[in-house]
Structure formats: structure tokens, C-alpha cells
Amino acid sequence: MRVEVAFATGIAPPVAGLHSFRDTKRHDIETQLGWPPGPGFTPRSRPDRVGVRALDIALLGIPRLLNIIANAGAAGGTLFGEPADVGKPREPENEVDDFPVMWAAPGDTARTLPWQLDPARRPKAYRTELVLTDQRLVILGGDEDDESVPAEELWAAARDAVSQIERMPYSEGGSDVRVRFTDGSWTRWKVQEPLKLAGRFRNDRLPVAEGDLTPEQRERLAALVASPPLQISRSIGKMLPVTEPPSLEGFSDGTVMVELQVPLSNGTMWTVTRYLSPDGTDDITKDSLQ
């Protein structure tokens, strides 16, 4: 699996847009890492928090208004990506009062991470990606404006040096994961498809081919491709035929996740996700995995 990755930033008003680097006694270790200078970490004052919250409310209102216009409330998601309810922080000490994205004693694995994971330090056009293989966890970096230049390997660790990858719900769009290493250190990243990444790491959510599906699942898949379950307002455009092969992932209980890329006449794409039980019916119990 290969996805974009960067150090996460907080969403609670005191730490919104910020992150820190700590040892196991919560001392600041940023200056010990030998990295290029960064903005540092200072929790926001109360007046600053009010400004962040006002801006947050204003921005959240835009996708909600667009979704009303688009009449995109049908099953499958919201067209303009309205953020999900993030709920309450599970770890206030690490998500409200402070926001460490590195927690490591001297010599721990997390301290070896590349500085390019920090958007505040790297060039604006620079992109970092995470690659999960059956043997390693790899960080790649490269110029996103020049895809002709191969990405370089910035960092790698053996897969068995990682003890856990877990999604952190209290995050922007639910996009954060915490990667725990076997030496006790950890890091917090913002990634694409965090639940899929965590499932792939646990080996309970793996790619499958259409031939691996049950006859009932294949029949249901054909119906989804022929007629995606979307309701799109005429002001947005109309659905075009699905031409890209669906993405399929199998779970240990036989359920298969189907992802369809549905093109619209306005030039955009919308992803439709369904979870199919072995008998071909929708498994609504897995909707929270989207």
C-alpha cells in the first residue's frame, strides 16, 4: 500500500495546526534532532483559540452549503467531503494540552524519522509517501511537480519493528494514525485511508481479485458498476459510465469492500463504497470503516 503521509497537526483550539516532539518525560527534543529550523511549539493563547474556532466554523459551513445544493445526501458519502464528527479527544494530554507527533527516548526508532515529514520544514512542492510492504515500512520523498524524477527513499524500518498502526479518530477528517514501534516509541501521522492502512498492517484487510468473490458478490458488483447508487443534482452534472476497474478488498469474515470511481459530467470523480457480505447483500455494520 502506498499513500501520502506527513506529521499530523492538532485540531483542538490550543494546538490547532501545531505539533511537538517529545521524549518519554515530555521534554521538548526538537532541537536535538539535527533538523532544519522549524516553527517550534507554543500552545495558542485564549484570544488565538477564539480566532481559530471562528475560522473553523466559517470553513465548515461551506461544504455543508454545497452539499445541500448538490442534494448529495444519498448513501455513499457527501460530495464535497464534509468532515465527520470527530467526537471527544481520547488523550487530552496528547491532543489538547500538547500534540506530540514523536514520542521517543534517545536511540529509539521514532527519532530516526526524516525531517521531510514536517510540511513546515520541507519545500512547498515536496511530497512524502508511506509504503507498506510485507517486509518493510518505507518513507519516500520527491518533487510533486516533477513526476519524471523517481522518489528517493528517506527512511525505512523492518515491518516487525512496528507493533501497531491504529487510527486516531480525533483528527482532521479522521486521517491520523499512530505508529507504535516495538521499542516503545511512537509517531503520529496524517495519511490517506487510515483505516485501510491499519487493516492492511494487521493482515485482516487485503486486496482481492474479482475471481475471488462469491457468485452472489460478483452479481452485486456488476449491478453496482452498471448503476452506481448516487443521487446528483442537475446543477452539478450527471453521472457518466464507470470505466475504471473497481477496487476490491477482502476481510477475514468473507466480506468484500467495493470502491467505485464514478465520473461526473463536470469533470470530477466521486467514490462509492459498499461492503458486500458473502451472499451479496450490503453489510451495513462496516459502514463506519469508510
Side-chain angles (χ1 to χ4, degrees), residues 247-261:
S247 174
L248 305 174
E249 284 195 338
F251 292 78
S252 55
D253 62 358
T255 301
V256 172
M257 184 195 74
V258 177
E259 283 187 349
L260 296 178
Q261 298 299 322

Side-chain angles (χ1 to χ4, degrees), residues 17 29 95 158:
I29 60 172
E95 298 179 314

